[in-house]
Amino acid sequence: MIARRTLLASALALPLPARAGEPWDAVVDPATGTLGAALAQAEKAGRPFRILLRPGIFTEKLTVRVPGLTLQGSPGTVLQYGTAAGTAKPGGGSWGTGGSGTLAIAAPNVTLRGLTIRNSFDYIGARRDGAGNGAQAVALAVGREADHMIVDRCVLLGYQDSFYLQARSLITDTRIVGGVDFIFGGAAAWFEGCEIVTRYVPNADGFGYVAAPSTPAAQEFGLVFSRCRLRREAGVPDGSTWLGRPWRAGGNMALMGQAAFLQCWIDAHIRREGWTWMGYKGPDGEQRRLTPPEARLWEFGNAGPGAAPAGADRRLLTAEAAKRFTRANVIGF
């Protein structure tokens, strides 16, 4: 029985003959195969590769290293793992935030479609028990090598640091769920038609920050949200959540966060002040704050009960300035 199961798993991870309308190089069923085996096959192929995942749960922590790979989910396909910053690595040491991701992308021109990617770390339990270093637990990590990343019609689930972006990315019609800094990084990224959902956390004083851009000062654009919907889970109160805060990662003075929300619908959980500061350690070792007026944090044409204007630090683009914020300008594709 074990031998037969192994043979089935291996077969499903091998390239299959292309069918009309389904030109898949590998089709994987979680009952009999693994995504890891299919990725290994893709690496051996040495060319762009297409993988279809059947419905079910894949409990795997993986890195994509194949340029041009397409990973397509089916309704009910879930990729999950439960690693957070500070949890032990196999072979010794512990994961950092960037290494905690359920799925990491480390190659250019990768496309993800129709997947649910979840970090299943017990954030609520860790918070209750005082465990972990803030419980950063990434669902999807797009590394610096992953230029021209596409995420389409996916669901990304976490609590703190759900989605980490460090390379040019296009994110369309995707549901992104989290709480603290749950869309973050130094990438130029264009989010279009996405649903961005703040999670409920029992006994929380506040409900976090949507965006934490760490954009290089020399880079014109960072995290740009176009025609997205900012919603909340049941129990998240009005005026409890920040649009975001600028992240000067590692105290790097060359980072000056950039984010913009353009023609989005914003629910009443977003605070009237909009943006807030984030602390960092300066070159002299002193603790400092990077404030919204120092960073490049903007809105334009938003609607809904949580939309601007409100507060001196919640700045609106002029119609002329907003013309610069196009998909072509932000990411070039």
PDB file of all heavy atoms in Angstrom, residues 11 13 47 109 120 130 161 174 202 204 220 235 240 247-248 250 254 316 324:
ATOM      1  N   ALA A  11       3.992   9.930  -9.782  1.00  0.00           N
ATOM      2  CA  ALA A  11       3.394  10.099 -11.098  1.00  0.00           C
ATOM      3  C   ALA A  11       2.697  11.438 -11.230  1.00  0.00           C
ATOM      4  O   ALA A  11       2.791  12.108 -12.251  1.00  0.00           O
ATOM      5  CB  ALA A  11       2.400   8.965 -11.364  1.00  0.00           C
ATOM      6  N   ALA A  13       3.419  14.144  -9.813  1.00  0.00           N
ATOM      7  CA  ALA A  13       4.352  15.260  -9.808  1.00  0.00           C
ATOM      8  C   ALA A  13       5.147  15.346 -11.097  1.00  0.00           C
ATOM      9  O   ALA A  13       5.908  16.269 -11.291  1.00  0.00           O
ATOM     10  CB  ALA A  13       5.313  15.133  -8.634  1.00  0.00           C
ATOM     11  N   ARG A  47      13.010  25.247 -17.498  1.00  0.00           N
ATOM     12  CA  ARG A  47      12.227  26.070 -18.425  1.00  0.00           C
ATOM     13  C   ARG A  47      10.975  26.533 -17.694  1.00  0.00           C
ATOM     14  O   ARG A  47      10.648  26.028 -16.613  1.00  0.00           O
ATOM     15  CB  ARG A  47      11.846  25.253 -19.658  1.00  0.00           C
ATOM     16  CG  ARG A  47      11.040  24.005 -19.316  1.00  0.00           C
ATOM     17  CD  ARG A  47      10.513  23.296 -20.546  1.00  0.00           C
ATOM     18  NE  ARG A  47       9.900  22.001 -20.214  1.00  0.00           N
ATOM     19  CZ  ARG A  47       8.699  21.835 -19.696  1.00  0.00           C
ATOM     20  NH1 ARG A  47       7.948  22.900 -19.436  1.00  0.00           N
ATOM     21  NH2 ARG A  47       8.232  20.632 -19.435  1.00  0.00           N
ATOM     22  N   ASN A 109       9.287  36.412 -12.850  1.00  0.00           N
ATOM     23  CA  ASN A 109       8.207  36.037 -13.773  1.00  0.00           C
ATOM     24  C   ASN A 109       7.366  34.863 -13.279  1.00  0.00           C
ATOM     25  O   ASN A 109       6.942  34.012 -14.064  1.00  0.00           O
ATOM     26  CB  ASN A 109       8.786  35.728 -15.159  1.00  0.00           C
ATOM     27  CG  ASN A 109       9.521  36.910 -15.743  1.00  0.00           C
ATOM     28  OD1 ASN A 109       8.979  37.995 -15.855  1.00  0.00           O
ATOM     29  ND2 ASN A 109      10.783  36.704 -16.084  1.00  0.00           N
ATOM     30  N   SER A 120      -0.571  29.302   9.246  1.00  0.00           N
ATOM     31  CA  SER A 120      -1.470  28.760  10.267  1.00  0.00           C
ATOM     32  C   SER A 120      -0.898  28.862  11.679  1.00  0.00           C
ATOM     33  O   SER A 120      -1.428  28.243  12.611  1.00  0.00           O
ATOM     34  CB  SER A 120      -1.803  27.299   9.947  1.00  0.00           C
ATOM     35  OG  SER A 120      -0.621  26.531   9.825  1.00  0.00           O
ATOM     36  N   GLY A 130       1.798  35.320  25.644  1.00  0.00           N
ATOM     37  CA  GLY A 130       3.020  36.124  25.659  1.00  0.00           C
ATOM     38  C   GLY A 130       4.183  35.438  24.987  1.00  0.00           C
ATOM     39  O   GLY A 130       5.348  35.694  25.302  1.00  0.00           O
ATOM     40  N   ASP A 161       2.088  40.601   9.504  1.00  0.00           N
ATOM     41  CA  ASP A 161       3.023  40.459   8.378  1.00  0.00           C
ATOM     42  C   ASP A 161       2.585  39.383   7.387  1.00  0.00           C
ATOM     43  O   ASP A 161       3.384  38.542   6.974  1.00  0.00           O
ATOM     44  CB  ASP A 161       4.436  40.161   8.881  1.00  0.00           C
ATOM     45  CG  ASP A 161       5.040  41.289   9.699  1.00  0.00           C
ATOM     46  OD1 ASP A 161       4.363  42.323   9.865  1.00  0.00           O
ATOM     47  OD2 ASP A 161       6.169  41.149  10.169  1.00  0.00           O
ATOM     48  N   THR A 174      -7.476  39.972  -5.428  1.00  0.00           N
ATOM     49  CA  THR A 174      -6.979  39.078  -4.377  1.00  0.00           C
ATOM     50  C   THR A 174      -7.474  39.557  -3.015  1.00  0.00           C
ATOM     51  O   THR A 174      -7.554  40.761  -2.763  1.00  0.00           O
ATOM     52  CB  THR A 174      -5.442  39.016  -4.431  1.00  0.00           C
ATOM     53  OG1 THR A 174      -5.076  38.250  -5.585  1.00  0.00           O
ATOM     54  CG2 THR A 174      -4.838  38.378  -3.199  1.00  0.00           C
ATOM     55  N   PRO A 202      -9.175  38.964  19.807  1.00  0.00           N
ATOM     56  CA  PRO A 202      -9.814  39.134  21.119  1.00  0.00           C
ATOM     57  C   PRO A 202      -8.956  39.974  22.067  1.00  0.00           C
ATOM     58  O   PRO A 202      -7.731  39.843  22.112  1.00  0.00           O
ATOM     59  CB  PRO A 202      -9.943  37.694  21.635  1.00  0.00           C
ATOM     60  CG  PRO A 202      -9.897  36.839  20.416  1.00  0.00           C
ATOM     61  CD  PRO A 202      -9.002  37.544  19.450  1.00  0.00           C
ATOM     62  N   ALA A 204      -7.908  42.953  22.057  1.00  0.00           N
ATOM     63  CA  ALA A 204      -6.911  43.886  21.507  1.00  0.00           C
ATOM     64  C   ALA A 204      -7.311  45.323  21.800  1.00  0.00           C
ATOM     65  O   ALA A 204      -8.498  45.679  21.752  1.00  0.00           O
ATOM     66  CB  ALA A 204      -6.769  43.669  20.012  1.00  0.00           C
ATOM     67  N   GLU A 220      10.417  55.968  -6.811  1.00  0.00           N
ATOM     68  CA  GLU A 220       9.270  56.877  -6.805  1.00  0.00           C
ATOM     69  C   GLU A 220       8.026  56.245  -6.193  1.00  0.00           C
ATOM     70  O   GLU A 220       7.278  56.904  -5.474  1.00  0.00           O
ATOM     71  CB  GLU A 220       8.959  57.337  -8.235  1.00  0.00           C
ATOM     72  CG  GLU A 220       7.822  58.347  -8.295  1.00  0.00           C
ATOM     73  CD  GLU A 220       7.552  58.880  -9.699  1.00  0.00           C
ATOM     74  OE1 GLU A 220       8.232  58.434 -10.650  1.00  0.00           O
ATOM     75  OE2 GLU A 220       6.650  59.737  -9.835  1.00  0.00           O
ATOM     76  N   GLY A 235     -16.571  42.340  14.702  1.00  0.00           N
ATOM     77  CA  GLY A 235     -15.953  42.621  15.991  1.00  0.00           C
ATOM     78  C   GLY A 235     -14.890  43.690  15.950  1.00  0.00           C
ATOM     79  O   GLY A 235     -14.505  44.230  16.996  1.00  0.00           O
ATOM     80  N   SER A 240     -10.451  51.956  14.712  1.00  0.00           N
ATOM     81  CA  SER A 240      -9.499  51.125  15.453  1.00  0.00           C
ATOM     82  C   SER A 240      -8.243  50.755  14.683  1.00  0.00           C
ATOM     83  O   SER A 240      -7.307  50.187  15.253  1.00  0.00           O
ATOM     84  CB  SER A 240     -10.192  49.824  15.882  1.00  0.00           C
ATOM     85  OG  SER A 240     -10.589  49.083  14.740  1.00  0.00           O
ATOM     86  N   TRP A 247       7.975  52.206   7.373  1.00  0.00           N
ATOM     87  CA  TRP A 247       8.927  51.286   8.012  1.00  0.00           C
ATOM     88  C   TRP A 247      10.339  51.582   7.528  1.00  0.00           C
ATOM     89  O   TRP A 247      10.642  51.411   6.358  1.00  0.00           O
ATOM     90  CB  TRP A 247       8.525  49.850   7.690  1.00  0.00           C
ATOM     91  CG  TRP A 247       9.437  48.788   8.217  1.00  0.00           C
ATOM     92  CD1 TRP A 247      10.141  48.808   9.379  1.00  0.00           C
ATOM     93  CD2 TRP A 247       9.733  47.530   7.591  1.00  0.00           C
ATOM     94  NE1 TRP A 247      10.861  47.636   9.527  1.00  0.00           N
ATOM     95  CE2 TRP A 247      10.620  46.838   8.441  1.00  0.00           C
ATOM     96  CE3 TRP A 247       9.326  46.930   6.390  1.00  0.00           C
ATOM     97  CZ2 TRP A 247      11.118  45.574   8.121  1.00  0.00           C
ATOM     98  CZ3 TRP A 247       9.805  45.679   6.080  1.00  0.00           C
ATOM     99  CH2 TRP A 247      10.695  45.001   6.942  1.00  0.00           C
ATOM    100  N   ARG A 248      11.189  52.008   8.436  1.00  0.00           N
ATOM    101  CA  ARG A 248      12.613  52.206   8.119  1.00  0.00           C
ATOM    102  C   ARG A 248      13.337  50.947   8.582  1.00  0.00           C
ATOM    103  O   ARG A 248      13.921  50.877   9.677  1.00  0.00           O
ATOM    104  CB  ARG A 248      13.144  53.468   8.803  1.00  0.00           C
ATOM    105  CG  ARG A 248      14.558  53.826   8.445  1.00  0.00           C
ATOM    106  CD  ARG A 248      14.848  55.298   8.745  1.00  0.00           C
ATOM    107  NE  ARG A 248      14.509  56.145   7.617  1.00  0.00           N
ATOM    108  CZ  ARG A 248      14.360  57.464   7.675  1.00  0.00           C
ATOM    109  NH1 ARG A 248      14.495  58.094   8.830  1.00  0.00           N
ATOM    110  NH2 ARG A 248      14.080  58.159   6.590  1.00  0.00           N
ATOM    111  N   GLY A 250      15.584  48.089   9.684  1.00  0.00           N
ATOM    112  CA  GLY A 250      16.970  48.042  10.135  1.00  0.00           C
ATOM    113  C   GLY A 250      17.577  49.399  10.395  1.00  0.00           C
ATOM    114  O   GLY A 250      18.814  49.523  10.492  1.00  0.00           O
ATOM    115  N   ALA A 254      18.181  55.316   4.112  1.00  0.00           N
ATOM    116  CA  ALA A 254      17.845  55.460   2.695  1.00  0.00           C
ATOM    117  C   ALA A 254      16.416  55.009   2.395  1.00  0.00           C
ATOM    118  O   ALA A 254      15.977  55.083   1.243  1.00  0.00           O
ATOM    119  CB  ALA A 254      18.831  54.669   1.832  1.00  0.00           C
ATOM    120  N   LEU A 316      -3.906  64.386   0.704  1.00  0.00           N
ATOM    121  CA  LEU A 316      -4.549  64.042  -0.551  1.00  0.00           C
ATOM    122  C   LEU A 316      -3.674  64.478  -1.721  1.00  0.00           C
ATOM    123  O   LEU A 316      -3.118  65.580  -1.723  1.00  0.00           O
ATOM    124  CB  LEU A 316      -5.908  64.721  -0.659  1.00  0.00           C
ATOM    125  CG  LEU A 316      -6.932  64.395   0.431  1.00  0.00           C
ATOM    126  CD1 LEU A 316      -8.217  65.169   0.180  1.00  0.00           C
ATOM    127  CD2 LEU A 316      -7.213  62.905   0.483  1.00  0.00           C
ATOM    128  N   ARG A 324       0.281  60.569 -12.127  1.00  0.00           N
ATOM    129  CA  ARG A 324       1.537  59.813 -12.146  1.00  0.00           C
ATOM    130  C   ARG A 324       1.336  58.382 -11.654  1.00  0.00           C
ATOM    131  O   ARG A 324       2.132  57.499 -11.973  1.00  0.00           O
ATOM    132  CB  ARG A 324       2.592  60.494 -11.249  1.00  0.00           C
ATOM    133  CG  ARG A 324       3.178  61.764 -11.788  1.00  0.00           C
ATOM    134  CD  ARG A 324       4.158  61.500 -12.921  1.00  0.00           C
ATOM    135  NE  ARG A 324       5.244  60.589 -12.537  1.00  0.00           N
ATOM    136  CZ  ARG A 324       5.905  59.831 -13.403  1.00  0.00           C
ATOM    137  NH1 ARG A 324       5.591  59.824 -14.679  1.00  0.00           N
ATOM    138  NH2 ARG A 324       6.882  59.041 -12.978  1.00  0.00           N
TER     139      ARG A 324
END
